[in-house]
Amino acid sequence: MKYYRFLLVGFVGAFFMSSLLFSNLFGNDKNNSNQSRLDAYNKLRNAILSVENYYVDKITINDIVDKAISGLLINLDAHSAYLPSKDFQELKIQTDGEFSGIGIQIALKDGALTIIAPIEGTPGDRVGLKSGDIILKIDDKSTLNMTIDDAVNLMRGKKKSIVTLTIVRKNEAKPLIFKIERDTIDVKSTYAKKIENTGYLYVRVNTFDKKVSQEVEGLIKKNNPSGVILDLRNNPGGLLNQAVELSNLFIKDGVIVSQKGKIKEDNEEFRANGKAVFGDMPLVVLVNGGSASASEIVAGALQDHKRAVIVGEKTFGKGSVQVVLPLDKNDALKLTTARYYLPSGRTIQAVGITPDIVVYPGTVPKDENDFAIKESDLKKHLQGELDKIDNQPQNVVINKGENTITTEDIYNDIQLKSAIDALKILMVMNSKDLMNIANK
């Protein structure tokens, strides 16, 4: 027993000494950390005092602090920003009320104010703004060092008022000037068209608002196609839950997207709900450099699950989460708090989605005689030629209406043509799989 008592006393003594040693070590680490924070705060305080005391123009302490916070947020990433009172109120109007603008989604890319995409049917789309255009000036104001929120506020205004954008565009020798009349932005989020001479349905999603998945489901059920082309080109994104719900229509199980940030409790994983109403529907998705955020989540999830063929160009690469954190009743921070990750674990941010089949925009090449025409349209074409010879008005009008994509439409869009060809291959592959199952 003496031996055990001695051992215990020795152990207690050793533990006491080691505790003192480690407490000093950890205490020093904690003290060093606290001292480092104090030094950093003192540096900021000294900088503010120096500006207040010596800057050439009169400036208030509130202005100094506002500029300091703004500079901090701008230097974090392209999407974080300080929202002083005016900007905070503008944001509320943008999200809760009606406003007039030109209908483009913008971001800072490599330090330049860049158009992600013009939204279909809006003033920006009608005048010919393109994904990838760099905005050099808004009216007479340079966009160099301008925040996204400031740019958005400058482009919004009264209905029918004019805003002038100076645009730098790839392969253009000099900047382009666009005078654009502002209008109320009322976007038709989804629509569908039958594709001529096929059993396929073309489904266009312009933006992810609160009813997108419901509308797409209704359009597909109504038309009952043999295959679907989902067009997400120039779709700048929208609501995360709608990206998840749209993916749910086609993906049977597994992760669709996960959201990860510094605070583990806020991390979230979104999984397929198992319903997959169109889980076996042959599917091709069209994307380009204007496809961003929610569009990239849908395309990336479908690609990772090998549920669709992705056709087009590399997407924009906007895969981060911003939240608005009020500082007080008037001011707020818009802060990046997390990033989105696809089922495979890859990130979208600054990387984007690379299509399975890369196709650049343009028309389908025609033969030397410019006579690329399908047999089904030959009689209509010849009738038209006869009418020209007889100098009579044509009595055969090719008009499929707004609900059909014609052969002419297809040959004017090589990306769409490639998507249709990919869908045909999928249909053949699926038929062979069914035949193999039947023969077993």
Side-chain angles (χ1 to χ4, degrees), residues 163-229:
V163 60
T164 302
L165 299 189
T166 303
I167 296 293
V168 174
R169 180 175 291 170
K170 187 177 180 181
N171 298 326
E172 291 289 344
K174 57 183 181 180
L176 306 174
I177 308 295
F178 291 88
K179 291 185 180 295
I180 310 168
E181 185 179 288
R182 296 180 178 96
D183 200 354
T184 302
I185 306 304
D186 182 19
V187 180
K188 186 178 182 181
S189 298
T190 62
Y191 63 82
K193 295 184 178 184
K194 293 179 180 179
I195 299 174
E196 187 178 34
N197 300 323
T198 74
Y200 309 150
L201 187 68
Y202 168 89
V203 178
R204 170 69 178 159
V205 178
N206 284 313
T207 185
F208 283 85
D209 68 11
K210 59 186 178 181
K211 292 183 179 180
V212 161
S213 60
Q214 180 183 338
E215 290 175 358
V216 170
E217 182 178 354
L219 289 168
I220 297 175
K221 283 183 174 179
K222 177 183 177 182
N223 290 278
N224 192 27
S226 56
V228 170
I229 291 175

Side-chain angles (χ1 to χ4, degrees), residues 283-294:
L283 179 66
V284 175
V285 179
L286 279 167
V287 296
N288 65 2
S291 308
S293 191

Side-chain angles (χ1 to χ4, degrees), residues 264-427:
K264 291 183 178 180
E265 291 78 10
D266 291 342
N267 291 349
E268 199 165 357
E269 187 177 75
F270 300 89
R271 302 183 68 87
N273 59 20
K275 295 179 181 178
V277 183
F278 311 114
D280 297 314
M281 177 77 69
L283 179 66
V284 175
V285 179
L286 279 167
V287 296
N288 65 2
S291 308
S293 191
S295 296
E296 294 175 291
I297 290 171
V298 173
L302 291 169
Q303 188 180 54
D304 278 3
H305 283 281
K306 302 189 186 304
R307 182 58 194 84
V309 176
I310 313 299
V311 175
E313 302 164 272
K314 189 174 182 180
T315 62
F316 188 83
K318 166 71 167 67
S320 57
V321 183
Q322 284 75 42
V323 298
V324 176
L325 304 172
L327 293 177
D328 51 37
K329 291 182 179 180
N330 300 314
D331 302 351
L333 304 180
K334 186 174 73 173
L335 190 66
T336 300
T337 58
R339 290 192 177 95
Y340 294 125
Y341 293 86
L342 296 172
S344 62
R346 57 183 172 143
T347 182
I348 300 166
Q349 181 62 30
V351 178
I353 305 296
T354 301
D356 301 306
I357 303 172
V358 176
V359 183
Y360 295 102
T363 59
V364 177
K366 299 180 180 180
D367 64 20
E368 292 179 0
N369 296 319
D370 197 28
F371 197 73
I373 187 165
K374 289 193 173 183
E375 184 178 353
S376 59
D377 293 322
L378 184 55
K379 288 183 179 179
K380 296 172 185 175
H381 178 83
L382 294 176
Q383 180 64 54
E385 295 302 311
L386 284 171
D387 288 336
K388 290 177 186 176
I389 293 170
D390 296 335
N391 197 26
Q392 296 174 356
Q394 294 184 25
N395 55 17
V396 177
V397 179
I398 302 173
N399 182 12
K400 297 290 183 179
E402 294 184 355
N403 296 322
T404 303
I405 290 180
T406 65
T407 303
E408 183 180 358
D409 295 331
I410 295 167
Y411 275 78
N412 283 329
D413 185 348
I414 195 169
Q415 291 178 331
L416 177 58
K417 174 70 165 59
S418 301
I420 293 170
D421 291 342
L423 192 54
K424 288 177 180 177
I425 294 169
L426 280 179
M427 297 292 291

Side-chain angles (χ1 to χ4, degrees), residues 98-152:
E98 187 181 275
F99 63 94
S100 294
I102 61 174
I104 62 173
Q105 186 82 2
I106 59 174
L108 285 172
K109 195 167 187 178
D110 300 325
L113 193 66
T114 305
I115 296 177
I116 299 176
I119 300 171
E120 186 175 332
T122 61
D125 179 47
R126 291 194 292 268
V127 299
L129 295 177
K130 295 182 178 180
S131 172
D133 282 350
I134 294 172
I135 303 174
L136 188 63
K137 291 174 67 178
I138 303 172
D139 290 328
D140 59 346
K141 293 183 174 60
S142 167
T143 62
L144 298 179
N145 301 316
M146 184 180 287
T147 67
I148 293 173
D149 294 289
D150 286 343
V152 168

